[in-house]
Amino acid sequence: MNLTNKQKQYLKGLAHPLKPVVQLGNNGLTEGVLAEIENALSFHELIKVKVPSDDKEEKQLIMDAIVGETKSVHVQSIGHVLVIYRQSDEKKISIPKK
């Protein structure tokens, strides 16, 4: 799923007041963390994930892995927080067409 810039801006606005739903711990990106992210995406569609890492390259690799494994769309990443979106069957969030 590809989003236009306008659609991403809309989702960023919706994500602004949200708190991170999932936070990675010392063990990094484990199967349990991925399962929790999957559950949160299925329920909320738009979530924030906190990736605490001092190494920028490692943090970027983890964020890319999360997006790839969950088949979600990278909306935004600021600092240690990643915002991702994946439409569920119920379509709770209606994004603008263009």
Side-chain angles (χ1 to χ4, degrees):
M1 171 185 229
N2 289 328
L3 296 175
T4 64
N5 284 338
K6 188 166 188 160
Q7 290 170 327
K8 282 187 178 183
Q9 286 299 112
Y10 176 76
L11 290 173
K12 286 177 189 178
L14 291 178
H16 183 73
L18 299 177
K19 300 278 185 230
V21 176
V22 179
Q23 181 168 343
L24 273 67
N26 292 336
N27 296 333
L29 189 60
T30 62
E31 287 184 25
V33 172
L34 276 173
E36 196 60 39
I37 293 172
E38 286 282 347
N39 289 340
L41 275 172
S42 297
F43 189 74
H44 298 291
E45 290 186 336
L46 182 70
I47 65 167
K48 286 183 178 179
V49 180
K50 190 162 186 178
V51 183
S53 174
D54 294 332
D55 185 7
K56 286 185 179 183
E57 291 177 17
E58 180 187 9
K59 182 171 58 176
Q60 190 58 49
L61 287 172
I62 292 172
M63 288 181 178
D64 292 342
I66 290 171
V67 171
E69 290 288 325
T70 59
K71 295 174 180 59
S72 58
V73 179
H74 177 271
V75 176
Q76 181 181 37
S77 55
I78 297 177
H80 297 287
V81 179
L82 169 69
V83 179
I84 53 177
Y85 170 77
R86 186 179 70 197
Q87 197 170 43
S88 68
D89 297 334
E90 294 146 19
K91 296 183 181 174
K92 296 174 183 158
I93 299 173
S94 59
I95 44 180
K97 297 281 187 228
K98 294 273 178 189

